[in-house]
Amino acid sequence: MGSLIGKSVPLIDSVEKVTGQQIYGSDFSLPGMLYGKVLRSSIAHGKVLHVDTSKARCLPGVRAVITGHEIDLPNYSVAGEKMLDERLLAGDRVRYRGDEIAVVAAVDEETAEEALKLIKVEYEPLPGVFDMEEAMLPDSPLVHDQFGTNIAREMTINHGDIEKAFADADVIVEGKFETPRVHHGYLEPHAAVAQWDIKGKVTFWVPTQSHVLARMTYANALGIGQDKVRVIQLPLGGGFGGKLEYKLHPLCALLARETGRPVKMVNTRTDELMASLPRVPMIINMKMGARRDGTFLAKATRVLADNGAYMNYGPGILLSASTRADNLYRIKNISTKGFLVYTNKVPTGAFRGFGCPQSHFAMEILIDKLAVELNIDPAELRLLNASQTGDITPHNWHLGSCGLSDCIKKSVEIADWKTKKEQTKLKDTNKLAKGIGIACCLHVSGNRTFLPFFDGASAYVRVNEEGKVVVLPGEVDIGQGSRTVFAIIAASELGIPLEWVEVPTLDTDINPHGLGTFGDRVTTLGGNAVKAAAINAREQILAVAAEELQTAVENLKIDNGVIFDCHTEKSIGFPEAAQLASYKQAGATIIGKGSFLPPNVSMVHPDTKVGNVSCAYPFVTQIAEVEVNRETGQVNLVNIVSAHDLGKAINPLMAKGQVLGAVAQGIGFALTEQMIEQEGIIKNQSFKHYNMPRSVDMPDITSILVESDDPNGPYGAKGLGEPALTAIAPAIANAIYDAVGVRINTLPITPEKILQALKEKEG
């Protein structure tokens, strides 16, 4: 069959995007639509004594006002979470500054905004908890009284003999690391349009990463059956983990039900930074020990993760931060204690990397410290301990492919590591100090622990009587290009031009059940399902073609839309064969069905947290070159080399694009971004003050694609997008140490922190 696998192909929806014809969530509208807005708590913690909506209801143009006091709503949480700690509108208690108290629907946005100003809320303030250590104290104010503690989840992990391992270690290093609350920074804010039909079924038009998870969660939040919820996905202006389930969507449904009209809601940027679901901040204490020859012996970790006021995906993120980094290198003695802590702050959630950027920041800096103490080159030390194909880690991860060593070797070669490392040894007192740093990471391709229900993917490939193909997957394109990947796979398996294939956005009433887009699962799991569905459709059409050409199916090949007999001159066009196949089934459409159940994966054990959570694990090495200004503390990024074991590059053009975007996001995490919070108040509620890096802040970036041919991925492919930012922050931190000899263990690494560290170093 013809193959597009491994060839660079532009996004199939690129024309719509660059011409402005793409309809995103904030663009979508329906006739007769109203506009909704949210009234949020102005205090971080308190009782809601009274909500006066009388003036707002009298405002001309207002069609509905709903408060948490007036409506009976169930407690709920995200899909798969049993600790139900949230309701759509706060009742008698608010738990963070931004908690939803009331919603308004009006004929236009301006009227809805005006109505919010007319609602008066009487509070009784309560003491709040904003520090994780203090929140864990037994006499601390409780965020949720019913749980009796602010520790939302606690986990203990032990492998090997940690005490003996540290006793045997020749060198021990340790440190305390802090990572901040950061926002995804997607260009398009959260948005939704909702409408109920006469039979009591609600339809959502939302930019979401998972139409199925949204359906589950919104049904629970509204107290209705899932059969009463339809979710139609709209194209996303970026997701990065922040566009899984979000409260604005079912709030929109509440207003639509109340008014009997379609309602649209779109977050302002202030709403986004005040009350969306940013990355989980963490405080990590870590200690590592090694032999003089560089062999890693022991790793002990304590993780504090800030849940904010509500649960969301915090437990899974804490699990990821507490376990994943342990599988990157061969290390047998591991001890970890993790705590997920409620505070009266903005609830946190999934963000590209899902806990890995925080824990890898700590571990990769400690490995750099070990290298200094052992007088071993940092790249060599990593190579010495790198996990290998076939390894089974202490967490029982089965590494069917592992290109970590190749990532290290190739990035070192391309970055000219040894030469530059020698040059930076020759320290001088110039104002601009040069440095180079390295860090590695790993990730998953699908995460079996994310949800308890199932894992895997399914897809349909529909071939109409004109030979045109529609692919219906269960996974969403969130801008990363999965529609193009699925089209490439289907066209390759069917032997037809890519232009004959469409991949529409998803609809729960049409597409197969699928978990959605997170955990770098789409290409690996979804790609396998699409491949199987395309093969199934191909078999149906070839059976008819063989009959028409009077030959055996085994003799047939398809190339560029023509089916031909390898042993004769006979041929038939793919469209003609598809038409014949349809007519022979009384006009029925040819539908190929495919599914993929990842082999040998399991949920983690509830106590030990051991379990093979994914069928394929990607690896990354990143090298950063910096210039540090000794007088100002400014860091100038000179060059980034980023090597990725992605198994197989289905579309190299898109893969490199993924790397560029992720590196940019990693640079922001490392150097500039932080949601500045003071007793529950986010002080920088705009992009202007959030300090996200711009295009002019980007250094030269070299992407290296390492193909390790994973046995479980389609054509060998694994995930790519999430780990591509994970090692950037520690690589930059290590490069700064290489330049000026100070270690900054808290993110972002600001000029002020560098100057302070230099001052302390110089005494």
Side-chain angles (χ1 to χ4, degrees):
M1 303 303 162
S3 178
L4 293 162
I5 306 300
K7 296 180 179 176
S8 288
V9 175
L11 295 176
I12 60 173
D13 53 353
S14 55
V15 174
E16 292 96 319
K17 288 183 174 178
V18 300
T19 58
Q21 296 180 57
Q22 186 87 276
I23 300 297
Y24 293 99
S26 53
D27 302 322
F28 185 79
S29 63
L30 290 175
M33 196 171 67
L34 300 172
Y35 296 84
K37 289 289 179 183
V38 180
L39 180 70
R40 302 185 183 281
S41 170
S42 60
I43 65 172
H45 194 199
K47 294 180 180 177
V48 179
L49 302 178
H50 181 65
V51 183
D52 182 357
T53 61
S54 55
K55 291 184 179 177
R57 292 179 192 276
C58 292
L59 185 69
V62 170
R63 295 293 181 265
V65 179
I66 305 174
T67 73
H69 273 171
E70 301 167 336
I71 187 168
D72 184 22
L73 292 166
N75 285 350
Y76 79 102
S77 189
V78 294
E81 176 55 52
K82 294 181 179 178
M83 208 160 164
L84 309 181
D85 62 1
E86 197 164 8
R87 78 199 286 267
L88 287 180
L89 291 170
D92 58 1
R93 181 93 163 257
V94 288
R95 295 180 170 84
Y96 79 101
R97 185 185 164 96
D99 222 341
E100 292 82 353
I101 293 176
V103 284
V104 172
V107 294
D108 53 48
E109 287 187 272
E110 292 75 18
T111 304
E113 289 276 9
E114 188 63 27
L116 293 185
K117 297 174 185 174
L118 299 175
I119 299 175
K120 302 302 177 189
V121 183
E122 184 180 349
Y123 300 101
E124 178 187 331
L126 295 171
V129 284
F130 308 103
D131 177 88
M132 284 190 282
E133 294 282 8
E134 291 179 7
M136 293 169 67
L137 297 175
D139 58 349
S140 183
L142 294 174
V143 179
H144 297 272
D145 293 341
Q146 69 271 30
F147 300 141
T149 175
N150 287 324
I151 301 175
R153 205 60 51 92
E154 180 176 348
M155 55 188 67
T156 302
I157 300 160
N158 289 303
H159 300 298
D161 187 338
I162 194 74
E163 292 185 6
K164 182 177 184 305
F166 274 117
D168 292 343
D170 295 309
V171 175
I172 295 174
V173 294
E174 57 187 314
K176 180 180 180 180
F177 304 87
E178 295 186 38
T179 62
R181 181 182 273 96
V182 290
H183 193 266
H184 313 77
Y186 34 69
L187 291 179
E188 179 205 25
H190 279 288
V193 173
Q195 183 178 36
W196 295 76
D197 67 18
I198 198 168
K199 295 181 179 178
K201 183 173 182 175
V202 60
T203 298
F204 292 93
W205 290 265
V206 287
T208 175
Q209 293 183 221
S210 175
H211 61 314
V212 169
L213 297 186
R215 184 171 180 251
M216 292 177 183
T217 298
Y218 301 163
N220 292 335
L222 292 165
I224 59 177
Q226 288 185 40
D227 62 322
K228 296 295 184 183
V229 178
R230 179 183 185 186
V231 177
I232 298 175
Q233 180 232 342
L234 295 172
L236 276 71
F240 314 117
K243 291 188 177 170
L244 289 163
E245 301 101 309
Y246 187 59
K247 193 185 283 187
L248 187 81
H249 302 170
L251 285 175
C252 193
L254 280 185
L255 287 172
R257 184 167 61 186
E258 181 75 9
T259 61
R261 290 170 62 175
V263 173
K264 178 176 183 175
M265 298 180 81
V266 181
N267 263 355
T268 64
R269 192 61 63 185
T270 298
D271 286 320
E272 284 291 332
L273 288 160
M274 184 178 182
S276 57
L277 299 163
R279 191 189 296 283
V280 178
M282 293 188 189
I283 299 174
I284 299 174
N285 291 81
M286 189 178 288
K287 182 168 76 170
M288 292 186 71
R291 286 200 190 100
R292 180 60 60 188
D293 66 1
T295 305
F296 294 163
L297 285 183
K299 173 176 171 287
T301 311
R302 179 177 185 261
V303 181
L304 293 185
D306 194 338
N307 213 16
Y310 298 109
M311 185 67 96
N312 207 265
Y313 285 107
I317 294 164
L318 174 63
L319 177 65
S320 173
S322 300
T323 57
R324 284 192 191 171
D326 298 339
N327 306 279
L328 181 59
Y329 303 103
R330 288 172 164 173
I331 182 167
K332 297 180 179 177
N333 304 292
I334 297 165
S335 171
T336 304
K337 190 76 177 176
F339 300 93
L340 181 66
V341 185
Y342 280 121
T343 58
N344 291 112
K345 295 192 285 189
V346 178
T348 52
F351 192 144
R352 199 175 199 168
F354 205 65
C356 284
Q358 297 96 315
S359 57
H360 280 78
F361 176 66
M363 189 178 77
E364 288 293 311
I365 288 179
L366 283 191
I367 290 174
D368 213 62
K369 290 181 74 172
L370 275 176
V372 172
E373 295 292 328
L374 294 166
N375 195 28
I376 299 176
D377 180 273
E380 292 295 329
L381 184 61
R382 287 171 170 82
L383 266 179
L384 178 68
N385 292 280
S387 291
Q388 303 295 328
T389 298
D391 281 359
I392 299 176
T393 73
H395 292 298
N396 199 37
W397 286 22
H398 293 232
L399 306 184
S401 66
C402 175
L404 176 59
S405 293
D406 286 340
C407 287
I408 297 172
K409 292 174 184 174
K410 292 188 178 183
S411 59
V412 162
E413 177 188 349
I414 298 297
D416 196 12
W417 167 268
K418 290 186 178 179
T419 302
K420 291 176 179 172
K421 193 69 180 168
E422 286 298 318
Q423 291 172 349
T424 59
K425 282 183 181 177
L426 305 174
K427 297 298 181 188
D428 53 41
T429 56
N430 291 340
K431 185 173 76 173
L432 295 180
K434 293 183 178 180
I436 187 167
I438 188 171
C440 301
C441 71
L442 85 169
H443 204 68
V444 293
S445 302
N447 182 1
R448 184 64 185 88
T449 65
F450 197 77
L451 291 169
F453 315 120
F454 77 102
D455 199 7
S458 58
Y460 304 141
V461 168
R462 191 179 72 196
V463 185
N464 69 16
E465 59 270 31
E466 287 84 36
K468 298 296 174 59
V469 172
V470 177
V471 178
L472 301 170
E475 283 69 42
V476 173
D477 191 331
I478 60 173
Q480 86 281 30
S482 62
R483 291 169 69 189
T484 306
V485 165
F486 293 154
I488 288 171
I489 291 172
S492 296
E493 290 300 332
L494 291 168
I496 60 176
L498 185 65
E499 295 74 23
W500 293 8
V501 182
E502 290 183 25
V503 187
T505 53
L506 277 67
D507 181 338
T508 51
D509 276 9
I510 297 173
N511 289 75
H513 193 88
L515 291 185
T517 300
F518 53 83
D520 270 348
R521 63 191 304 280
V522 175
T523 297
T524 309
L525 276 62
N528 268 318
V530 170
K531 181 182 178 184
I535 291 172
N536 182 246
R538 184 183 72 201
E539 290 172 344
Q540 296 179 53
I541 291 171
L542 287 186
V544 173
E547 185 178 339
E548 182 70 12
L549 297 176
Q550 296 183 333
T551 187
V553 169
E554 299 75 43
N555 296 334
L556 296 178
K557 300 290 182 186
I558 315 177
D559 183 31
N560 199 30
V562 178
I563 304 170
F564 60 95
D565 186 336
C566 296
H567 304 295
T568 71
E569 297 291 325
K570 294 179 179 177
S571 67
I572 183 173
F574 182 89
E576 185 181 353
Q579 188 179 64
L580 284 174
S582 173
Y583 290 173
K584 284 180 179 291
Q585 299 180 47
T589 301
I590 304 300
I591 296 178
K593 296 180 181 177
S595 61
F596 177 71
L597 193 62
N600 195 31
V601 300
S602 63
M603 291 288 291
V604 297
H605 188 280
D607 298 325
T608 65
K609 307 304 179 190
V610 168
N612 189 37
V613 300
S614 182
C615 68
Y617 299 95
F619 294 82
V620 172
T621 299
Q622 292 173 312
I623 292 177
E625 288 180 61
V626 302
E627 283 181 345
V628 181
N629 188 316
R630 297 178 196 274
E631 296 179 359
T632 66
Q634 291 286 342
V635 176
N636 175 38
L637 283 174
V638 178
N639 190 38
I640 298 281
V641 174
S642 195
H644 302 264
D645 166 23
L646 75 173
K648 171 70 179 177
I650 302 287
N651 185 350
L653 179 67
M654 247 168 25
K656 291 188 177 183
Q658 277 281 294
V659 173
L660 295 178
V663 168
Q665 206 161 33
I667 289 171
F669 184 51
L671 295 177
T672 61
E673 294 183 36
Q674 178 177 19
M675 296 171 69
I676 300 170
E677 179 270 338
Q678 185 176 25
E679 296 205 334
I681 301 173
I682 302 299
K683 296 288 188 179
N684 51 344
Q685 296 180 358
S686 70
F687 269 173
K688 180 180 179 182
H689 298 103
Y690 180 65
N691 207 15
M692 189 179 292
R694 300 161 298 169
S695 59
V696 294
D697 300 315
M698 291 300 104
D700 290 336
I701 301 170
T702 303
S703 302
I704 304 168
L705 304 181
V706 175
E707 298 190 327
S708 59
D709 191 19
D710 191 88
N712 294 323
Y715 317 100
K718 300 189 283 190
L720 168 69
E722 296 202 61
L725 77 74
T726 299
I728 290 294
I732 291 174
N734 292 338
I736 291 170
Y737 175 81
D738 191 50
V740 292
V742 297
R743 294 203 182 275
I744 311 299
N745 291 350
T746 62
L747 294 177
I749 303 173
T750 61
E752 292 80 8
K753 291 177 183 176
I754 293 174
L755 286 178
Q756 180 64 32
L758 285 171
K759 183 178 177 182
E760 292 172 0
K761 178 189 173 189
E762 294 165 0

